[in-house]
């Protein structure tokens, strides 16, 4: 069956498992393309420039803003993050399933600019589970974890604005749900 290009936003609190789910989606669905955002935050150990993010200083980020190079950008956890305009539309036009893993502010901005975008929310099984996962990940200090938990409260309160919500309790089950949803949109009549 012919597949049409789509734009998907994947949002959810830090630690809900969005990154792992997108990684698994990329392995399971060949025409999925995940956009790489720009950020002013520092790379975590193991993160590679151009793969996980385009890491920029404030001046570099300002330059992209002045050139209208972002489809959307937002302050998240005290840093700036933005979706680069280049490539996203090209990939949709090529018939691919374009994934933006962005926060809830970004999700709202994308829905306004691209009303046909599909908004997917990934929720943790509980608030406590989220805290445990963030602590276990060990990549953030106490202060940062606190900030992320505060943001998580706001994000969870906005999940009703999303088209669909998957609870990432069981990773395999959440992966299957995400894969089925993306395939269903791709196979919708043109
Ligand atoms: P992290 O620092 O953990 O990689 O990401 C922090 C948050 O920023 C996550 O909620 C992530 O979805 C969001 N984020 C990443 N890239 C973008 C982007 O381009 N735009 C927006 N609005 N949020 C983003």
């Amino acid at each position: 069956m012919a597949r049409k290009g789509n734009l998907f936003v994947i949002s959810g609190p830090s630690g809900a498992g969005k990154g792992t789910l997108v990684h698994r989606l990329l392995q399971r669905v060949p025409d999925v393309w995940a956009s790489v955002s720009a950020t002013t935050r520092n790379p975590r150990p193991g993160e590679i420039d151009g793969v996980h993010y385009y890491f920029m200083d404030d001046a570099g980020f300002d330059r992209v803003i002045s050139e209208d190079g972002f489809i959307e950008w937002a302050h998240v956890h005290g840093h700036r993050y933005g979706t680069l305009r280049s490539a996203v539309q090209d990939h949709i036009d090529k018939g691919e399933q374009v994934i933006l893993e962005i926060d809830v502010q970004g999700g709202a901005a994308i829905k306004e600019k691209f009303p046909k975008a599909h908004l997917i929310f990934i929720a943790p099984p509980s608030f406590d589970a989220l805290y445990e996962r963030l602590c276990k990940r060990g990549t953030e200090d106490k202060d940062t974890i606190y900030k992320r938990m505060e943001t998580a409260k706001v994000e969870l309160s906005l999940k009703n604005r999303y088209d669909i919500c998957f609870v990432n309790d069981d990773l395999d089950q959440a992966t299957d749900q995400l894969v089925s949803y993306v395939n269903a949109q791709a196979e919708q009549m043109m």
Side-chain angles (χ1 to χ4, degrees), residues 14-152:
S14 194
K18 288 168 297 181
T20 309
L21 284 167
V22 170
H23 184 72
R24 287 174 149 223
L25 181 66
L26 280 162
Q27 289 177 327
R28 293 257 303 261
V29 184
D31 63 353
V32 164
W33 180 81
S35 162
V36 178
S37 292
T39 183
T40 58
R41 85 151 160 75
N42 290 325
R44 295 189 189 120
E47 282 185 334
I48 301 162
D49 187 40
V51 175
H52 298 92
Y53 282 106
Y54 292 102
F55 295 99
M56 292 181 180
D57 56 15
D58 276 316
F61 203 93
D62 285 340
R63 204 173 319 118
V64 181
I65 293 174
S66 70
E67 290 163 355
D68 196 25
F70 289 122
I71 299 178
E72 63 74 39
W73 69 270
H75 288 275
V76 189
H77 314 310
H79 300 284
R80 290 188 290 175
Y81 294 80
T83 305
L84 292 158
R85 190 179 298 284
S86 51
V88 168
Q89 189 64 51
D90 284 356
H91 284 271
I92 302 171
D93 293 344
K94 270 203 265 175
E96 294 178 341
Q97 313 311 318
V98 173
I99 308 290
L100 308 180
E101 189 196 320
I102 62 178
D103 88 317
V104 287
Q105 305 168 71
I110 292 293
K111 191 73 184 179
E112 221 174 281
K113 289 185 186 160
F114 299 85
K116 286 188 185 158
H118 308 284
L119 268 52
I120 304 168
F121 195 91
I122 306 294
S126 70
F127 207 64
D128 287 352
L130 193 65
Y131 181 70
E132 257 173 49
R133 280 188 202 171
L134 276 180
C135 291
K136 247 200 214 152
R137 190 155 86 177
T139 50
E140 276 92 12
D141 57 35
K142 242 185 168 170
D143 236 32
T144 309
I145 291 179
Y146 180 75
K147 239 191 230 170
R148 286 177 181 241
M149 292 303 289
E150 284 301 303
T151 309

